[in-house]
Amino acid sequence: METIEKYREILLTIFPVRKTAAQKADFREWLRKELKHAGYRPKEETYGRFNGSVNVVAGDPDRATVFLTAHYDTASRMLVPNFISPTNVAAHVLYHFLFAIVLMAAAVVLSFVITFPINQPGLTLPLFLVLALLILYLSAFGPANPSNANANTSGVLTLLAIAKAIPKDKRVCFVFFDNNERNLLGAKAFKREHSRAAESCLFLNFDCVGDGEHMLLMPSKYSRWDENLIAALTDAFPETEAVKGRILDKGLVYYPSDHRKFKFHVGVAACHRLSGLGYYIPHLRTKKDTVLSAENVAYLTEGIARFLPAYWEEQDKGGQGS
Protein backbone atom coordinates (compact mmCIF):
# COMPACT_ATOMS: atom_id res chain seq x y z
CA MET A 1 0.00 0.00 0.00
CA GLU A 2 2.93 2.35 0.55
CA THR A 3 3.82 2.31 -3.15
CA ILE A 4 0.20 2.86 -4.11
CA GLU A 5 -0.19 5.80 -1.74
CA LYS A 6 3.04 7.38 -3.01
CA TYR A 7 2.01 7.15 -6.65
CA ARG A 8 -1.52 8.24 -5.83
CA GLU A 9 -0.26 11.44 -4.22
CA ILE A 10 2.05 12.25 -7.14
CA LEU A 11 -0.58 11.62 -9.79
CA LEU A 12 -3.29 13.63 -8.04
CA THR A 13 -1.10 16.60 -7.16
CA ILE A 14 1.59 16.86 -9.85
CA PHE A 15 -0.10 15.29 -12.89
CA PRO A 16 -3.85 15.67 -12.27
CA VAL A 17 -4.52 16.87 -15.85
CA ARG A 18 -2.98 15.21 -18.92
CA LYS A 19 -4.75 16.85 -21.83
CA THR A 20 -2.40 19.19 -23.71
CA ALA A 21 0.68 17.99 -25.57
CA ALA A 22 2.95 19.61 -22.96
CA GLN A 23 1.06 18.06 -20.02
CA LYS A 24 1.24 14.65 -21.63
CA ALA A 25 4.94 14.98 -22.42
CA ASP A 26 5.77 15.93 -18.82
CA PHE A 27 3.77 12.99 -17.53
CA ARG A 28 5.36 10.52 -19.94
CA GLU A 29 8.84 11.62 -18.91
CA TRP A 30 8.01 10.88 -15.27
CA LEU A 31 6.24 7.63 -16.20
CA ARG A 32 9.21 6.29 -18.15
CA LYS A 33 11.52 7.01 -15.19
CA GLU A 34 9.23 5.14 -12.79
CA LEU A 35 8.96 2.16 -15.14
CA LYS A 36 12.76 2.07 -15.45
CA HIS A 37 13.03 2.06 -11.66
CA ALA A 38 10.64 -0.91 -11.68
CA GLY A 39 13.02 -2.82 -13.97
CA TYR A 40 11.42 -2.23 -17.38
CA ARG A 41 12.74 -0.63 -20.54
CA PRO A 42 9.81 1.56 -21.59
CA LYS A 43 9.56 3.16 -24.98
CA GLU A 44 7.26 5.62 -26.68
CA GLU A 45 5.39 4.68 -29.84
CA THR A 46 4.36 7.65 -31.98
CA TYR A 47 1.93 7.11 -34.83
CA GLY A 48 2.12 10.23 -36.97
CA ARG A 49 0.74 13.74 -36.94
CA PHE A 50 -2.73 12.76 -38.20
CA ASN A 51 -3.29 10.24 -35.40
CA GLY A 52 -1.38 12.34 -32.89
CA SER A 53 -1.04 9.59 -30.29
CA VAL A 54 1.99 8.67 -28.19
CA ASN A 55 1.62 5.38 -26.33
CA VAL A 56 4.06 4.24 -23.64
CA VAL A 57 4.96 0.55 -23.88
CA ALA A 58 6.84 -1.44 -21.23
CA GLY A 59 7.57 -4.98 -22.37
CA ASP A 60 7.88 -6.75 -25.71
CA PRO A 61 4.63 -6.72 -27.73
CA ASP A 62 6.01 -9.42 -30.02
CA ARG A 63 6.61 -11.90 -27.18
CA ALA A 64 3.84 -11.05 -24.72
CA THR A 65 0.68 -13.11 -24.36
CA VAL A 66 -1.03 -10.79 -21.85
CA PHE A 67 -1.31 -7.01 -22.21
CA LEU A 68 -2.22 -4.86 -19.21
CA THR A 69 -3.49 -1.49 -20.41
CA ALA A 70 -4.96 1.85 -19.36
CA HIS A 71 -5.29 5.24 -21.02
CA TYR A 72 -3.39 8.15 -19.50
CA ASP A 73 -5.03 11.14 -21.22
CA THR A 74 -7.74 13.09 -19.43
CA ALA A 75 -10.90 14.69 -20.79
CA SER A 76 -12.66 18.01 -21.00
CA ARG A 77 -15.33 19.11 -18.54
CA MET A 78 -18.90 18.22 -19.51
CA LEU A 79 -22.00 20.21 -18.63
CA VAL A 80 -23.46 17.11 -16.97
CA PRO A 81 -21.78 13.87 -15.82
CA ASN A 82 -20.80 11.36 -18.50
CA PHE A 83 -23.17 8.63 -17.35
CA ILE A 84 -22.08 5.01 -17.90
CA SER A 85 -24.02 1.90 -16.88
CA PRO A 86 -22.29 -1.21 -18.27
CA THR A 87 -25.20 -3.59 -17.59
CA ASN A 88 -28.06 -1.20 -18.43
CA VAL A 89 -27.38 -0.33 -22.04
CA ALA A 90 -30.87 1.13 -22.56
CA ALA A 91 -30.33 3.67 -19.76
CA HIS A 92 -26.86 4.49 -21.11
CA VAL A 93 -28.15 5.17 -24.63
CA LEU A 94 -31.26 7.05 -23.46
CA TYR A 95 -29.21 9.34 -21.21
CA HIS A 96 -26.84 10.37 -23.99
CA PHE A 97 -29.69 10.71 -26.49
CA LEU A 98 -31.58 13.06 -24.16
CA PHE A 99 -28.40 15.00 -23.44
CA ALA A 100 -27.88 15.53 -27.19
CA ILE A 101 -31.50 16.71 -27.57
CA VAL A 102 -31.10 19.20 -24.70
CA LEU A 103 -27.91 20.60 -26.27
CA MET A 104 -29.58 20.98 -29.67
CA ALA A 105 -32.62 22.61 -28.07
CA ALA A 106 -30.31 25.09 -26.36
CA ALA A 107 -28.74 25.87 -29.74
CA VAL A 108 -32.20 26.47 -31.26
CA VAL A 109 -33.24 28.81 -28.45
CA LEU A 110 -30.02 30.79 -28.66
CA SER A 111 -30.40 31.13 -32.43
CA PHE A 112 -33.86 32.64 -32.09
CA VAL A 113 -32.84 34.86 -29.18
CA ILE A 114 -30.01 36.33 -31.27
CA THR A 115 -31.77 36.67 -34.64
CA PHE A 116 -35.31 37.67 -33.60
CA PRO A 117 -34.46 41.13 -32.17
CA ILE A 118 -32.55 42.10 -35.31
CA ASN A 119 -35.32 40.77 -37.60
CA GLN A 120 -33.02 38.43 -39.54
CA PRO A 121 -34.88 35.07 -39.71
CA GLY A 122 -32.67 33.97 -42.59
CA LEU A 123 -29.70 33.79 -40.22
CA THR A 124 -31.45 31.48 -37.74
CA LEU A 125 -30.56 28.17 -39.42
CA PRO A 126 -26.90 29.03 -40.16
CA LEU A 127 -26.49 30.37 -36.63
CA PHE A 128 -28.08 27.22 -35.20
CA LEU A 129 -25.61 25.04 -37.11
CA VAL A 130 -22.67 27.11 -35.87
CA LEU A 131 -23.89 27.03 -32.27
CA ALA A 132 -24.64 23.29 -32.41
CA LEU A 133 -21.15 22.52 -33.70
CA LEU A 134 -19.63 24.84 -31.08
CA ILE A 135 -21.54 23.14 -28.25
CA LEU A 136 -20.53 19.69 -29.46
CA TYR A 137 -16.91 20.79 -29.85
CA LEU A 138 -16.77 22.26 -26.35
CA SER A 139 -18.31 19.10 -24.93
CA ALA A 140 -15.64 16.92 -26.56
CA PHE A 141 -12.61 19.23 -26.73
CA GLY A 142 -13.39 22.10 -24.40
CA PRO A 143 -11.62 23.25 -21.23
CA ALA A 144 -9.87 20.48 -19.33
CA ASN A 145 -11.61 18.84 -16.41
CA PRO A 146 -9.31 19.48 -13.41
CA SER A 147 -10.60 16.46 -11.47
CA ASN A 148 -9.71 13.09 -13.02
CA ALA A 149 -9.11 10.82 -10.04
CA ASN A 150 -11.25 7.98 -11.33
CA ALA A 151 -11.06 8.75 -15.06
CA ASN A 152 -8.43 7.58 -15.64
CA THR A 153 -5.79 8.33 -13.04
CA SER A 154 -7.07 5.18 -11.33
CA GLY A 155 -6.09 3.05 -14.34
CA VAL A 156 -2.62 4.60 -14.56
CA LEU A 157 -2.08 4.06 -10.84
CA THR A 158 -3.19 0.44 -11.15
CA LEU A 159 -0.75 -0.31 -13.97
CA LEU A 160 2.12 1.28 -12.07
CA ALA A 161 1.27 -0.64 -8.90
CA ILE A 162 1.12 -3.92 -10.82
CA ALA A 163 4.39 -3.21 -12.61
CA LYS A 164 6.11 -2.68 -9.27
CA ALA A 165 4.49 -5.72 -7.62
CA ILE A 166 4.73 -8.63 -10.05
CA PRO A 167 7.88 -10.46 -11.18
CA LYS A 168 9.20 -9.37 -14.58
CA ASP A 169 8.07 -11.77 -17.30
CA LYS A 170 8.43 -11.59 -21.08
CA ARG A 171 4.83 -12.78 -21.42
CA VAL A 172 3.35 -9.56 -20.01
CA CYS A 173 3.40 -6.13 -21.63
CA PHE A 174 2.15 -2.85 -20.17
CA VAL A 175 0.62 -0.26 -22.49
CA PHE A 176 -0.41 3.26 -21.46
CA PHE A 177 -2.70 4.46 -24.25
CA ASP A 178 -2.97 8.03 -25.43
CA ASN A 179 -6.10 9.70 -26.85
CA ASN A 180 -8.82 7.52 -25.41
CA GLU A 181 -10.84 10.73 -25.25
CA ARG A 182 -10.30 11.25 -28.99
CA ASN A 183 -12.22 8.20 -30.17
CA LEU A 184 -9.66 5.65 -28.90
CA LEU A 185 -6.98 6.81 -31.33
CA GLY A 186 -4.12 5.43 -29.24
CA ALA A 187 -5.66 1.96 -29.03
CA LYS A 188 -6.51 2.00 -32.74
CA ALA A 189 -2.92 2.86 -33.64
CA PHE A 190 -1.52 0.15 -31.36
CA LYS A 191 -3.84 -2.38 -32.98
CA ARG A 192 -2.57 -1.46 -36.45
CA GLU A 193 1.06 -1.54 -35.32
CA HIS A 194 0.76 -4.87 -33.50
CA SER A 195 -1.94 -6.70 -35.42
CA ARG A 196 -0.83 -10.20 -34.38
CA ALA A 197 -1.11 -9.39 -30.69
CA ALA A 198 -4.37 -7.53 -31.21
CA GLU A 199 -5.96 -10.61 -32.77
CA SER A 200 -4.56 -13.39 -30.58
CA CYS A 201 -3.47 -12.10 -27.16
CA LEU A 202 -5.40 -11.22 -24.02
CA PHE A 203 -5.86 -7.54 -23.14
CA LEU A 204 -6.96 -6.49 -19.65
CA ASN A 205 -7.87 -2.82 -19.65
CA PHE A 206 -8.28 -0.76 -16.47
CA ASP A 207 -10.50 2.29 -16.90
CA CYS A 208 -12.28 4.04 -14.01
CA VAL A 209 -11.37 1.49 -11.33
CA GLY A 210 -11.08 3.92 -8.43
CA ASP A 211 -14.67 4.72 -7.37
CA GLY A 212 -17.02 1.89 -6.48
CA GLU A 213 -17.06 -1.29 -4.41
CA HIS A 214 -18.22 -3.52 -7.28
CA MET A 215 -15.22 -4.41 -9.48
CA LEU A 216 -16.60 -5.49 -12.84
CA LEU A 217 -14.50 -7.73 -15.09
CA MET A 218 -16.14 -7.82 -18.52
CA PRO A 219 -14.82 -10.41 -21.02
CA SER A 220 -15.42 -9.92 -24.72
CA LYS A 221 -17.82 -12.20 -26.60
CA TYR A 222 -14.79 -14.23 -27.69
CA SER A 223 -13.19 -14.40 -24.25
CA ARG A 224 -16.44 -15.56 -22.65
CA TRP A 225 -15.95 -18.95 -24.27
CA ASP A 226 -12.51 -19.43 -22.70
CA GLU A 227 -13.37 -21.53 -19.66
CA ASN A 228 -9.79 -21.40 -18.37
CA LEU A 229 -9.81 -17.61 -18.50
CA ILE A 230 -13.13 -17.33 -16.68
CA ALA A 231 -12.01 -19.80 -14.01
CA ALA A 232 -8.72 -17.96 -13.49
CA LEU A 233 -10.51 -14.61 -13.21
CA THR A 234 -13.05 -16.01 -10.76
CA ASP A 235 -10.33 -17.41 -8.50
CA ALA A 236 -8.14 -14.31 -8.73
CA PHE A 237 -10.83 -11.71 -8.05
CA PRO A 238 -13.08 -12.98 -5.24
CA GLU A 239 -15.57 -11.01 -3.20
CA THR A 240 -13.91 -9.37 -0.21
CA GLU A 241 -15.20 -7.15 2.57
CA ALA A 242 -14.03 -4.00 0.78
CA VAL A 243 -14.31 -4.94 -2.91
CA LYS A 244 -16.72 -7.31 -4.64
CA GLY A 245 -15.31 -8.95 -7.77
CA ARG A 246 -17.93 -9.52 -10.48
CA ILE A 247 -17.19 -11.58 -13.61
CA LEU A 248 -19.79 -10.48 -16.18
CA ASP A 249 -19.59 -13.34 -18.70
CA LYS A 250 -23.33 -13.50 -19.43
CA GLY A 251 -25.91 -11.07 -20.71
CA LEU A 252 -25.57 -7.76 -22.55
CA VAL A 253 -22.65 -5.69 -21.31
CA TYR A 254 -21.33 -2.50 -22.89
CA TYR A 255 -18.40 -0.52 -21.59
CA PRO A 256 -16.83 1.98 -24.04
CA SER A 257 -13.06 1.96 -23.59
CA ASP A 258 -9.81 0.94 -25.28
CA HIS A 259 -10.25 -2.81 -24.74
CA ARG A 260 -12.98 -2.89 -27.38
CA LYS A 261 -10.31 -2.56 -30.09
CA PHE A 262 -8.92 -6.00 -29.23
CA LYS A 263 -10.53 -9.37 -29.90
CA PHE A 264 -9.74 -11.16 -26.64
CA HIS A 265 -10.22 -8.63 -23.90
CA VAL A 266 -11.44 -8.06 -20.37
CA GLY A 267 -12.59 -4.57 -19.51
CA VAL A 268 -12.23 -3.69 -15.83
CA ALA A 269 -14.19 -0.92 -14.09
CA ALA A 270 -15.37 -0.13 -10.56
CA CYS A 271 -19.05 0.66 -10.16
CA HIS A 272 -21.70 1.57 -7.66
CA ARG A 273 -25.00 -0.29 -7.73
CA LEU A 274 -28.53 1.08 -7.49
CA SER A 275 -31.67 -1.02 -7.35
CA GLY A 276 -33.61 -0.68 -10.59
CA LEU A 277 -30.68 0.77 -12.47
CA GLY A 278 -27.86 -1.70 -11.90
CA TYR A 279 -24.17 -0.87 -12.00
CA TYR A 280 -23.13 2.70 -12.79
CA ILE A 281 -20.12 5.05 -12.57
CA PRO A 282 -20.76 8.51 -11.08
CA HIS A 283 -19.19 11.96 -11.56
CA LEU A 284 -17.24 11.30 -14.76
CA ARG A 285 -15.94 14.46 -16.46
CA THR A 286 -17.10 16.71 -13.62
CA LYS A 287 -15.37 18.48 -10.73
CA LYS A 288 -16.71 15.75 -8.41
CA ASP A 289 -14.43 13.08 -9.93
CA THR A 290 -12.20 13.06 -6.84
CA VAL A 291 -12.40 9.47 -5.53
CA LEU A 292 -9.48 7.11 -6.08
CA SER A 293 -9.63 4.21 -3.66
CA ALA A 294 -6.23 2.75 -2.73
CA GLU A 295 -8.08 -0.37 -1.61
CA ASN A 296 -9.43 -0.87 -5.14
CA VAL A 297 -5.94 -0.55 -6.62
CA ALA A 298 -4.50 -2.98 -4.06
CA TYR A 299 -7.32 -5.44 -4.81
CA LEU A 300 -6.54 -5.35 -8.54
CA THR A 301 -2.79 -5.57 -7.99
CA GLU A 302 -3.14 -8.64 -5.79
CA GLY A 303 -5.68 -10.11 -8.19
CA ILE A 304 -3.41 -9.78 -11.21
CA ALA A 305 -0.55 -11.34 -9.21
CA ARG A 306 -2.81 -14.37 -8.66
CA PHE A 307 -4.31 -14.38 -12.14
CA LEU A 308 -1.22 -14.37 -14.35
CA PRO A 309 0.44 -17.58 -13.08
CA ALA A 310 -2.87 -19.45 -13.21
CA TYR A 311 -3.67 -18.21 -16.71
CA TRP A 312 -0.22 -19.00 -18.05
CA GLU A 313 -0.32 -22.46 -16.49
CA GLU A 314 -3.49 -23.22 -18.43
CA GLN A 315 -1.92 -21.79 -21.59
CA ASP A 316 1.03 -24.13 -21.17
CA LYS A 317 -1.43 -27.02 -20.96
CA GLY A 318 -2.86 -26.03 -24.33
CA GLY A 319 -5.36 -23.32 -23.45
CA GLN A 320 -6.10 -20.21 -25.52
CA GLY A 321 -3.08 -18.05 -26.22
CA SER A 322 -0.83 -16.72 -28.90
Side-chain angles (χ1 to χ4, degrees), residues 8 13 16 22 99 213 282-283:
R8 181 180 181 275
T13 58
F99 179 52
E213 68 277 16
H283 309 314

Side-chain angles (χ1 to χ4, degrees), residues 300-315:
L300 290 171
T301 302
E302 294 163 4
I304 289 295
R306 291 188 292 263
F307 167 77
L308 289 176
Y311 179 69
W312 285 328
E313 181 179 358
E314 292 302 328
Q315 279 192 317

Side-chain angles (χ1 to χ4, degrees), residues 29-48:
E29 181 180 1
W30 172 82
L31 175 63
R32 292 196 309 272
K33 290 179 181 178
E34 293 304 317
L35 289 169
K36 288 178 181 177
H37 291 160
Y40 296 91
R41 299 177 63 183
K43 64 177 182 179
E44 292 186 355
E45 290 189 354
T46 304
Y47 307 98

Side-chain angles (χ1 to χ4, degrees), residues 53-300:
S53 299
V54 183
N55 295 337
V56 178
V57 180
D60 187 347
D62 296 325
R63 302 176 71 184
T65 61
V66 176
F67 290 76
L68 304 178
T69 68
H71 75 87
Y72 69 85
D73 60 310
T74 57
S76 58
R77 174 81 63 85
M78 288 184 68
L79 299 177
V80 297
N82 181 23
F83 174 77
I84 294 179
S85 180
T87 56
N88 194 332
V89 180
H92 175 92
V93 172
L94 180 61
Y95 178 90
H96 288 274
F97 178 71
L98 292 176
F99 179 52
I101 290 178
V102 169
L103 290 180
M104 293 305 99
V108 170
V109 171
L110 283 173
S111 301
F112 277 102
V113 168
I114 294 172
T115 58
F116 182 77
I118 62 175
N119 194 27
Q120 294 290 334
L123 295 178
T124 302
L125 180 58
L127 183 59
F128 161 74
L129 294 175
V130 170
L131 290 173
L133 290 174
L134 178 61
I135 290 173
L136 291 174
Y137 176 84
L138 289 175
S139 179
F141 305 106
N145 187 32
S147 302
N148 304 284
N150 191 29
N152 186 29
T153 299
S154 62
V156 171
L157 176 57
T158 299
L159 285 199
L160 278 169
I162 294 171
K164 292 282 286 188
I166 66 172
K168 310 303 174 292
D169 195 300
K170 66 180 183 296
R171 292 172 293 181
V172 65
C173 182
F174 295 85
V175 186
F176 297 79
F177 290 125
D178 191 7
N179 283 333
N180 166 278
E181 303 296 345
R182 290 182 57 207
N183 198 28
L184 313 181
L185 286 180
K188 289 179 181 178
F190 189 87
K191 179 180 179 179
R192 288 194 301 270
E193 187 74 14
H194 305 284
S195 57
R196 179 205 62 83
E199 285 297 313
S200 61
C201 296
L202 177 65
F203 285 74
L204 287 95
N205 184 61
F206 304 90
D207 192 353
C208 300
V209 295
D211 185 6
E213 68 277 16
H214 299 276
M215 192 63 66
L216 308 188
L217 293 101
M218 300 166 277
S220 70
K221 63 180 181 180
Y222 301 101
S223 296
R224 288 183 178 192
W225 296 101
D226 187 345
E227 295 180 357
N228 295 326
L229 169 64
I230 301 303
L233 289 173
T234 302
D235 291 340
F237 297 96
E239 180 172 327
T240 68
E241 184 176 342
V243 184
K244 301 173 177 62
R246 301 283 187 256
I247 315 300
L248 303 186
D249 59 339
K250 296 179 178 63
L252 181 61
V253 177
Y254 176 70
Y255 188 60
S257 189
D258 299 284
H259 55 269
R260 297 185 63 83
K261 293 302 171 184
F262 306 100
K263 185 174 182 179
F264 299 105
H265 69 243
V266 178
V268 185
C271 289
H272 295 257
R273 196 173 194 281
L274 184 65
S275 178
L277 174 64
Y279 298 111
Y280 70 98
I281 304 175
H283 309 314
L284 296 180
R285 297 181 69 173
T286 73
K287 64 181 180 180
K288 294 183 179 181
D289 182 5
T290 58
V291 178
L292 203 179
S293 167
E295 288 76 14
N296 281 18
V297 176
Y299 174 85
L300 290 171

